[in-house]
Structures are given as structure tokens and as C-alpha cells.
Amino acid sequence: MERNAERTRANILQAAIKEFSEKGYAGARVDCIADMAGCNKGMIYQYYDSKEHLYELVIAHEYRLLSNIEAEIIQNYTDPRELLDVIVDRYFEFLVNTPDFVKIIMWENLNEARAVRENPALVSVKAPIIECIRGAVRRGREEGVFREDANSKVVVFALITGAFSYFSNRYTLPHVLNVDLNSPEFVSAHKEIIKAGIRNYLKK
Amino acid sequence: MERNAERTRANILQAAIKEFSEKGYAGARVDCIADMAGCNKGMIYQYYDSKEHLYELVIAHEYRLLSNIEAEIIQNYTDPRELLDVIVDRYFEFLVNTPDFVKIIMWENLNEARAVRENPALVSVKAPIIECIRGAVRRGREEGVFREDANSKVVVFALITGAFSYFSNRYTLPHVLNVDLNSPEFVSAHKEIIKAGIRNYLKK
Amino acid sequence: MERNAERTRANILQAAIKEFSEKGYAGARVDCIADMAGCNKGMIYQYYDSKEHLYELVIAHEYRLLSNIEAEIIQNYTDPRELLDVIVDRYFEFLVNTPDFVKIIMWENLNEARAVRENPALVSVKAPIIECIRGAVRRGREEGVFREDANSKVVVFALITGAFSYFSNRYTLPHVLNVDLNSPEFVSAHKEIIKAGIRNYLKK
Amino acid sequence: MERNAERTRANILQAAIKEFSEKGYAGARVDCIADMAGCNKGMIYQYYDSKEHLYELVIAHEYRLLSNIEAEIIQNYTDPRELLDVIVDRYFEFLVNTPDFVKIIMWENLNEARAVRENPALVSVKAPIIECIRGAVRRGREEGVFREDANSKVVVFALITGAFSYFSNRYTLPHVLNVDLNSPEFVSAHKEIIKAGIRNYLKK
DNA sequence: GATGAATGAGAGTTCATTCAT
DNA sequence: CATGAATGAACTCTCATTCAT
């Protein structure tokens, strides 16, 4: 049996992401995490102190995943109109490929953002993308292509919730609507609605 | 202490709505529900058999609350363009006034709609509003004000998630964005984005 | 199976006295207490909240046992010389008949009196007997039978430790000395040594 | 990091003395001992096999500390009357300077002398001082300065418990009595009471 | 109809001990 | 000789559920 602290730590974190994402904080079981990580329960306490602390690290980890995407967007896109479309596309791409993420953020929301509020590092994790969008909105106004009184925060909020909402009702709505959320037509129609809504808000 | 079966049943249901909405299924405590209902634990088992069953009834109850709103919309609005705006407005009004609802639906989503799927009565609870919107979209196409290939399900999905999304990230996003979701300007800006997105999707 | 809250509470307390007295706080097992009390582990938490809190109540209970003896002494004896002998006799009698007591007080001593210090009610539990002895010492001085500079606290300390010491080395010393601490001759010889020591300290 | 078997063994023993003395057998933690010894847990098992065995060696070590004092007394003092006073003085001196000792003996007492009883070497560790006192008592009788029926074991027991008792209630009593056990007046008054008690027992 | 005492399975956590490196 | 990762049993505590009253 191979002994490797870093490997075990990582296995536990991955297992915890899966468990917390599937069952939320209250429903998650430390035993299940240990089983999935292929290690003993004691290891979780050795490396992460408590279920609570492990959960906080999972939240921080997931937030960082998205902020990595955002950092890449910030570096590469500056044109105000292009930027907003890109953000919707990238968010969708990320959320489609990272199904754990949406669920974890939703559980955290329902916990009233307890872990986020108590982690100073997370308070400003969205500052860069906010600043980026704010800059784009300002430049759009200066260039005369956006209306004068456009509110950046409204735009950021609409961008994020627009992308999120597609996934956050992933289980109940498709069921009662009897639709396939994964069909490319459905995805692109929804993305277009979000983009158009924001475009309309910004247009002069 | 008065003995009143109906009163006790109702108290338990209200308490359960509060408890499940605040803590989700896994985090909810039967003891807390009994305390809030001002009765003892035995009553919950007498009237509702188990925590699980009580939860299912809570879900059904909440779904019915929204479908009552929907029934009223269906009766009173027929004009295709007006209808969509009305739905957004009514949904927002309902969700603002019924904060427990959003949380319960979100928890249920995260439970992968277990209770909804297992309850035949809920499977068709959204059929009327879907049929109503479908009819409006069809009439809009017939009247030549909507595009020919408009998909009713895309519209229903956008309407519901659009309204929902405003509330479903109620805790994390305002915190990192430092905004007040309750300000009338923010609310109406967001509603307008949703309406415009859908309007744009439908327009010829 | 009879259901009786008061009975169960009392059973748990008695079982806890036994368990804590035999094994100390760290060595005591909640499971053992439940078994001895003939009830379920959950009852202990329902009635006493935690192992810690149960321990504190046990300590308080035991202290009260001794202070009941002291109250009886205070009421019935006033003659300075007689009083001191009576205290030694009564303490011995009590400690012989209440073997749990000595051990619990010793464990508590080794815990550096944590529970005693944190319980305001216990801080003054020995005040009456101290005051009583202090009064006897004072009267003995006034009556000219005790020395002028006799210190009451020295006397109280010698009285209590004198009685206690007989029991507190109950296990190691008899073993290495190969003596029977319960033989009446040994008991009365030891009591006489203590009484004589104190008498000598007080004599003019 | 230097590799030094003897050094590590010694460090572990010292750390164990501290840990067992502070927390008793049940409360002591192998991890804490390793930390204090500046080594890792494996070393403890390599050198001492188990927590249990380490504890037994600690007990033996502490007993030997006192018997060294006793050996020195035995060698240097023979006069019956002087001897008893010297023993009280030396015991006090030792116990004041070796605070761990009192606590360890007390814990061991509460464990009902398990380690002492199971260690043949300890059974006779007090034989020399007992024999010494027995001899002094005999000579005192022969010289006509002690009573004829003086029991040496009573004297040994009184000597040891008399010295011990001052320290064994070190935490609870001073707290409720509000006295300073370290004040020279208090110490010498207490010693005098013990000496006088024994002197009185022995006198013709 | 209503109470709350009692249960037992299982949750999070700790700890002496072992073992690959 | 030394490390610290890993284990598993046992511990404190919780909770949905049952049942005598």
C-alpha cells in the first residue's frame, strides 16, 4: 500500500467535492468521503481538521476554478460588445463541463453563503471580473455604443445568473417540461436570450 | 391545551415548510418542526408518518402555491405579448412575497427532484401554464408577431429560470457584488433584461 | 418497561458517580454510565447535555454530601476541644462509608479543581464549617485554653487533610506496607495521631 | 537531526513523566508525549512497546526517586527521635521540589495501584525505609523513650500520609479555604502538627 | 388526541498502534 | 535510527422513530 501524503490530501479533496456536491453539507457523510478517497476516516481529520473546515476548503477550491476561467477572459478580451458574449459562452462551457460546481454553489447559497462570508479570501474573488465588466461598460459608454446610465452591477448580475439559471433548475424543470437541456438547439436558444436581454439593456 | 386535529396538522405543515426551506431535507430536524409547530414529535408521526413523507407533502404544497398563481394568469391574460410580461411580473411578485418557496424548490433541485419525480400529481402540475404559453406562442405566430420557429418550451424555460435566477443566487452574489437586490431599480432592470431577451427571441 | 423521568435521571447520576469515581473524568465512559443506569445513552444527553456537564453535577453532588455532615456537626457541637475531635471522627465515619467520595475528590484535585473553580456554588461550600472552626478556635483562645496566635485555617487544613490522607493513599501504601487499613486499631491509632497533632498546635 | 538512542529514550521518559503527571494514564496522549520529547510516535513504541508499559516505567522511575532520598536518610540518621523529624522534613523538601511526583502517585492510587501491584520490583521498594523506621521505633522502646506497644507501621503510614496530604489536596482545598500553601508559616505549622502527632503517639 | 421518555442506528471525531519509506 | 502516513476500534454525541402513559 503506497503512502503519499499529497496524493491522499488530493484524493480527499476530490472525494469531498463529489460528496458535498451530491448531498450538500448536512447530507454529506465523512465516511463516504473516506471511502471515495480510498483512505481511512482519520486521514480526513489529520489533513483537514473537521468536516466543516474541509467544506470551506472545497468551497474555496470551486470558487477558484471559476475565477481561473475569468482570469483568462480578462486577459484576452477587451472589446465591450464581444466581452459580454464571451462571458456567457465561457460560463456555459465551464458549467457544462463542471457539473459539481453548480451544485456546490447552490448548496452554499442555501446555506446562506456561510462559508463564503467567513472566508476573507473569497470576498474579493469576483472583484477582477467585476472590474473587467465595469471597465467594458464604461468604455462602451465612452465609445457611445452603450447607454449613459448603464449599471455595471446589473450587467454582472444578469451575466452570472443568466448562465447559472440554465443549470440551477436542471432537475425539476426538464422533468416537468419534458425537454432535453443538453440539446445544442436548446442551449444556444437560451444563451441567445440572455445575450439579447443584456444587449438590449445596454443599447443606447 | 386544546385538542384540534386540523389545527395541529396545519401547524406542523407550516413549521415543516419553514424548517425544510431553511435547512433542506438533510439539515431539517423533526424536533425543530415539532417545536415550531407547538406540538410534540409524536404528532408528526401520527399525521405524516415520517420525515420523508412530510417533506413530500411540503413540496406538493409549495408547487400548488405557484400553480394557483399560474391558474389566475391563465384565466385573465390571453394577448401573446402581454402574457409574457405578466408572467415575469407575477412570478417576481410571488417569489418576492414567498421567500420559503425559492429555497424549497432549490433544495428539491439539489435532491435531483426526488420528491417531484415520485409524486404523479406533480408531474403535470405545470402542464396548464405550459399549455397556456404554448398557446400564446402559437397565436403570436399565427398573428404574425412572433417568428415561425419559436419553441414554446424555450420560452417557458426562460421565463421560469429568468424569474427564479434573481432569487436563487440571493445569498452569494449580492455578497460578492455588494449590491442590494431589493432596490426597485435593480429589480426592474433585471426584469426588463429577461423580458427583452424573450421578446427578442420571439420577434419575427 | 417503566417510564419515569425522575427515576432515570437519578439512576444516571448514581451510575455517573460510580463511573467517575472509579475511572476519573478521562477514563469514564458514557456507554458504561448508560449501562449501569440501565438506560440508553441518549438519555444521558437528554438529561445532562454532555459528559462534562454530568461530571460537574456529580462533583457538586458529592460536595453537598460532605457539607450535609458538616451542617449537622455545626448544629450540635460548640465546645472548642470537643468539636475538633468530633470533626475527625465524623469525617472518618463519612469517608469510610462513602468510598466514592474520596476518589472523586482526588480525581478532581488532579484535574486541578477545574469543576470546582467553575462552579460558583461550590466556591463557598466549605464556608460554614470553616466559620464554625474559626469560631471554636476564637472561643478557645478567649477561654484561655488555646494559644493566642492559633491560625484557624491551619487547623481546618490539618483536620481535612488528616482525615483525607488516611483514604487517599488507600491503595498504594497498604500494599507496600502490607497492613490492613480497616483494622480498628490502625484506624484509631491514626485518628489519635491527627487529633494529638492539632491539639498540640492549639495548646497554650 | 542527530541519532541518539539513549538521548531519545531519556527524552521520552521525561516527557512521559510530565504528561502522565498532568493528565493521568487515561488522559495522557501518546502524541503529546512524542511532541514534548521532540521525537515521533514510532520511537515510543520502539523503546517502550506501549503506552501501558511506558506508564509502568514512569511509575517505577518516580518510586526510585523517593527511595533515593530514603536511602540517604537511612545512611545518615539513627537517633530515633531525630529520625522522625528528619523524615518529615526531607519528604516535604522532596515533594515541594518534585511536583510531578505527588500527582503521579495520586493517579496511581486512583488506578488502584495497578502498576505497583504488577511490578515485583516495586513491592519491596519501601522495605528499607520501613525497616529503618521499625528499627528506630524498636530502639526508642529499648531506650525507654518510646512506649512499649508502639506500632512501626502506624508510624510509617502517618509519616508518609502526613507529608503527602499537604500536597494531595493542593488544588481544591486552598481554593475553598483561600490560603497560600507555599507560605513558610503555613508549611512549618503543618509540619509541626504532623511531627507532634507522631511524637505524641510514641511517647511513653 | 397528545405527551415526552426511551431506543438504536449511525454521525463526527479521537487515539493507540502499525508499517512503508 | 527515525519519520509520519495509515489504520481501526472506540469514543462522544445526534436523530428519526417508537411506545407507555
mmCIF file of all heavy atoms in Angstrom, chain F residues 1 3-4 7 12-13 17 19 21:
data_model
loop_
_atom_site.group_PDB
_atom_site.id
_atom_site.type_symbol
_atom_site.label_atom_id
_atom_site.label_comp_id
_atom_site.label_asym_id
_atom_site.label_seq_id
_atom_site.Cartn_x
_atom_site.Cartn_y
_atom_site.Cartn_z
ATOM 1 P P DC F 1 18.420 1.796 17.256
ATOM 2 O OP1 DC F 1 18.672 2.433 18.511
ATOM 3 O OP2 DC F 1 17.223 1.074 16.928
ATOM 4 O "O5'" DC F 1 18.772 2.813 16.079
ATOM 5 C "C5'" DC F 1 19.697 3.850 16.311
ATOM 6 C "C4'" DC F 1 19.250 5.094 15.588
ATOM 7 O "O4'" DC F 1 18.893 4.763 14.225
ATOM 8 C "C3'" DC F 1 18.004 5.739 16.198
ATOM 9 O "O3'" DC F 1 18.207 7.158 16.201
ATOM 10 C "C2'" DC F 1 16.870 5.341 15.259
ATOM 11 C "C1'" DC F 1 17.599 5.246 13.925
ATOM 12 N N1 DC F 1 16.979 4.259 12.981
ATOM 13 C C2 DC F 1 16.553 4.664 11.717
ATOM 14 O O2 DC F 1 16.692 5.846 11.393
ATOM 15 N N3 DC F 1 16.005 3.763 10.861
ATOM 16 C C4 DC F 1 15.890 2.500 11.243
ATOM 17 N N4 DC F 1 15.348 1.641 10.373
ATOM 18 C C5 DC F 1 16.326 2.060 12.526
ATOM 19 C C6 DC F 1 16.854 2.954 13.359
ATOM 20 P P DT F 3 12.579 11.727 14.055
ATOM 21 O OP1 DT F 3 12.911 13.155 14.007
ATOM 22 O OP2 DT F 3 12.003 11.131 15.283
ATOM 23 O "O5'" DT F 3 11.599 11.408 12.840
ATOM 24 C "C5'" DT F 3 12.018 11.766 11.520
ATOM 25 C "C4'" DT F 3 10.962 11.333 10.524
ATOM 26 O "O4'" DT F 3 10.877 9.899 10.508
ATOM 27 C "C3'" DT F 3 9.557 11.822 10.858
ATOM 28 O "O3'" DT F 3 9.198 12.775 9.882
ATOM 29 C "C2'" DT F 3 8.685 10.574 10.825
ATOM 30 C "C1'" DT F 3 9.562 9.547 10.134
ATOM 31 N N1 DT F 3 9.385 8.133 10.543
ATOM 32 C C2 DT F 3 8.975 7.211 9.618
ATOM 33 O O2 DT F 3 8.713 7.498 8.464
ATOM 34 N N3 DT F 3 8.868 5.924 10.087
ATOM 35 C C4 DT F 3 9.136 5.481 11.367
ATOM 36 O O4 DT F 3 9.016 4.305 11.672
ATOM 37 C C5 DT F 3 9.560 6.497 12.297
ATOM 38 C C7 DT F 3 9.875 6.127 13.712
ATOM 39 C C6 DT F 3 9.664 7.760 11.850
ATOM 40 P P DG F 4 8.157 13.932 10.206
ATOM 41 O OP1 DG F 4 8.500 15.110 9.372
ATOM 42 O OP2 DG F 4 8.003 14.064 11.661
ATOM 43 O "O5'" DG F 4 6.845 13.259 9.622
ATOM 44 C "C5'" DG F 4 6.823 12.773 8.287
ATOM 45 C "C4'" DG F 4 5.615 11.876 8.113
ATOM 46 O "O4'" DG F 4 5.876 10.600 8.743
ATOM 47 C "C3'" DG F 4 4.338 12.398 8.777
ATOM 48 O "O3'" DG F 4 3.204 11.895 8.077
ATOM 49 C "C2'" DG F 4 4.355 11.684 10.115
ATOM 50 C "C1'" DG F 4 4.791 10.325 9.612
ATOM 51 N N9 DG F 4 5.210 9.406 10.636
ATOM 52 C C8 DG F 4 5.608 9.666 11.922
ATOM 53 N N7 DG F 4 5.899 8.594 12.602
ATOM 54 C C5 DG F 4 5.676 7.556 11.709
ATOM 55 C C6 DG F 4 5.821 6.165 11.865
ATOM 56 O O6 DG F 4 6.184 5.543 12.852
ATOM 57 N N1 DG F 4 5.503 5.475 10.682
ATOM 58 C C2 DG F 4 5.088 6.075 9.514
ATOM 59 N N2 DG F 4 4.816 5.270 8.486
ATOM 60 N N3 DG F 4 4.956 7.378 9.358
ATOM 61 C C4 DG F 4 5.266 8.052 10.493
ATOM 62 P P DT F 7 -5.259 3.289 5.085
ATOM 63 O OP1 DT F 7 -5.438 2.260 4.051
ATOM 64 O OP2 DT F 7 -6.027 4.540 5.045
ATOM 65 O "O5'" DT F 7 -5.484 2.599 6.489
ATOM 66 C "C5'" DT F 7 -4.656 1.498 6.864
ATOM 67 C "C4'" DT F 7 -4.989 1.042 8.267
ATOM 68 O "O4'" DT F 7 -4.545 2.020 9.222
ATOM 69 C "C3'" DT F 7 -6.484 0.862 8.522
ATOM 70 O "O3'" DT F 7 -6.695 -0.487 8.867
ATOM 71 C "C2'" DT F 7 -6.808 1.812 9.671
ATOM 72 C "C1'" DT F 7 -5.447 2.046 10.304
ATOM 73 N N1 DT F 7 -5.270 3.366 10.975
ATOM 74 C C2 DT F 7 -4.926 3.404 12.303
ATOM 75 O O2 DT F 7 -4.783 2.410 12.980
ATOM 76 N N3 DT F 7 -4.751 4.669 12.818
ATOM 77 C C4 DT F 7 -4.888 5.872 12.143
ATOM 78 O O4 DT F 7 -4.702 6.930 12.706
ATOM 79 C C5 DT F 7 -5.252 5.756 10.749
ATOM 80 C C7 DT F 7 -5.431 6.989 9.935
ATOM 81 C C6 DT F 7 -5.424 4.525 10.241
ATOM 82 P P DT F 12 -16.781 8.598 26.004
ATOM 83 O OP1 DT F 12 -16.252 9.035 27.308
ATOM 84 O OP2 DT F 12 -17.783 7.528 25.946
ATOM 85 O "O5'" DT F 12 -17.363 9.848 25.215
ATOM 86 C "C5'" DT F 12 -16.541 10.984 24.997
ATOM 87 C "C4'" DT F 12 -17.242 11.915 24.032
ATOM 88 O "O4'" DT F 12 -17.503 11.238 22.793
ATOM 89 C "C3'" DT F 12 -18.594 12.415 24.536
ATOM 90 O "O3'" DT F 12 -18.682 13.799 24.198
ATOM 91 C "C2'" DT F 12 -19.590 11.591 23.759
ATOM 92 C "C1'" DT F 12 -18.869 11.403 22.434
ATOM 93 N N1 DT F 12 -19.280 10.208 21.657
ATOM 94 C C2 DT F 12 -19.607 10.355 20.324
ATOM 95 O O2 DT F 12 -19.573 11.433 19.755
ATOM 96 N N3 DT F 12 -19.984 9.201 19.680
ATOM 97 C C4 DT F 12 -20.061 7.940 20.233
ATOM 98 O O4 DT F 12 -20.410 6.988 19.551
ATOM 99 C C5 DT F 12 -19.703 7.859 21.633
ATOM 100 C C7 DT F 12 -19.754 6.528 22.323
ATOM 101 C C6 DT F 12 -19.336 8.972 22.266
ATOM 102 P P DC F 13 -19.896 14.690 24.772
ATOM 103 O OP1 DC F 13 -19.422 16.086 24.823
ATOM 104 O OP2 DC F 13 -20.482 14.032 25.955
ATOM 105 O "O5'" DC F 13 -20.955 14.599 23.574
ATOM 106 C "C5'" DC F 13 -20.552 15.041 22.276
ATOM 107 C "C4'" DC F 13 -21.599 14.644 21.250
ATOM 108 O "O4'" DC F 13 -21.622 13.219 21.086
ATOM 109 C "C3'" DC F 13 -23.041 15.039 21.592
ATOM 110 O "O3'" DC F 13 -23.444 15.987 20.615
ATOM 111 C "C2'" DC F 13 -23.825 13.729 21.511
ATOM 112 C "C1'" DC F 13 -22.910 12.867 20.649
ATOM 113 N N1 DC F 13 -23.059 11.396 20.813
ATOM 114 C C2 DC F 13 -23.441 10.627 19.718
ATOM 115 O O2 DC F 13 -23.652 11.197 18.640
ATOM 116 N N3 DC F 13 -23.565 9.285 19.860
ATOM 117 C C4 DC F 13 -23.321 8.708 21.041
ATOM 118 N N4 DC F 13 -23.451 7.397 21.122
ATOM 119 C C5 DC F 13 -22.917 9.476 22.175
ATOM 120 C C6 DC F 13 -22.803 10.806 22.035
ATOM 121 P P DT F 17 -38.044 8.803 10.150
ATOM 122 O OP1 DT F 17 -38.012 7.888 9.001
ATOM 123 O OP2 DT F 17 -38.842 10.045 10.101
ATOM 124 O "O5'" DT F 17 -38.463 7.964 11.422
ATOM 125 C "C5'" DT F 17 -37.751 6.758 11.721
ATOM 126 C "C4'" DT F 17 -38.173 6.215 13.066
ATOM 127 O "O4'" DT F 17 -37.732 7.069 14.135
ATOM 128 C "C3'" DT F 17 -39.682 6.046 13.291
ATOM 129 O "O3'" DT F 17 -39.924 4.669 13.469
ATOM 130 C "C2'" DT F 17 -39.980 6.825 14.550
ATOM 131 C "C1'" DT F 17 -38.609 6.865 15.218
ATOM 132 N N1 DT F 17 -38.411 7.953 16.200
ATOM 133 C C2 DT F 17 -38.112 7.619 17.498
ATOM 134 O O2 DT F 17 -38.016 6.472 17.875
ATOM 135 N N3 DT F 17 -37.945 8.689 18.341
ATOM 136 C C4 DT F 17 -38.030 10.033 18.022
ATOM 137 O O4 DT F 17 -37.859 10.896 18.870
ATOM 138 C C5 DT F 17 -38.345 10.309 16.650
ATOM 139 C C7 DT F 17 -38.471 11.725 16.186
ATOM 140 C C6 DT F 17 -38.514 9.275 15.808
ATOM 141 P P DC F 19 -43.046 0.237 18.850
ATOM 142 O OP1 DC F 19 -42.396 -1.090 18.841
ATOM 143 O OP2 DC F 19 -44.237 0.531 18.016
ATOM 144 O "O5'" DC F 19 -43.406 0.608 20.352
ATOM 145 C "C5'" DC F 19 -42.357 0.926 21.263
ATOM 146 C "C4'" DC F 19 -42.955 1.581 22.498
ATOM 147 O "O4'" DC F 19 -42.979 3.013 22.325
ATOM 148 C "C3'" DC F 19 -44.415 1.182 22.779
ATOM 149 O "O3'" DC F 19 -44.560 1.077 24.185
ATOM 150 C "C2'" DC F 19 -45.207 2.374 22.279
ATOM 151 C "C1'" DC F 19 -44.260 3.495 22.670
ATOM 152 N N1 DC F 19 -44.458 4.765 21.939
ATOM 153 C C2 DC F 19 -44.197 5.981 22.595
ATOM 154 O O2 DC F 19 -43.802 5.948 23.756
ATOM 155 N N3 DC F 19 -44.390 7.133 21.926
ATOM 156 C C4 DC F 19 -44.815 7.114 20.661
ATOM 157 N N4 DC F 19 -44.993 8.268 20.036
ATOM 158 C C5 DC F 19 -45.089 5.885 19.981
ATOM 159 C C6 DC F 19 -44.901 4.746 20.647
ATOM 160 P P DT F 21 -46.456 2.084 31.335
ATOM 161 O OP1 DT F 21 -45.658 2.057 32.572
ATOM 162 O OP2 DT F 21 -47.452 1.038 31.036
ATOM 163 O "O5'" DT F 21 -47.175 3.496 31.255
ATOM 164 C "C5'" DT F 21 -46.396 4.658 31.446
ATOM 165 C "C4'" DT F 21 -47.263 5.876 31.233
ATOM 166 O "O4'" DT F 21 -47.583 6.028 29.844
ATOM 167 C "C3'" DT F 21 -48.605 5.840 31.960
ATOM 168 O "O3'" DT F 21 -48.588 6.806 32.997
ATOM 169 C "C2'" DT F 21 -49.649 6.178 30.889
ATOM 170 C "C1'" DT F 21 -48.796 6.741 29.766
ATOM 171 N N1 DT F 21 -49.349 6.565 28.394
ATOM 172 C C2 DT F 21 -49.568 7.680 27.632
ATOM 173 O O2 DT F 21 -49.334 8.796 28.013
ATOM 174 N N3 DT F 21 -50.064 7.422 26.371
ATOM 175 C C4 DT F 21 -50.366 6.177 25.837
ATOM 176 O O4 DT F 21 -50.815 6.075 24.708
ATOM 177 C C5 DT F 21 -50.125 5.068 26.705
ATOM 178 C C7 DT F 21 -50.416 3.680 26.238
ATOM 179 C C6 DT F 21 -49.627 5.299 27.929
#
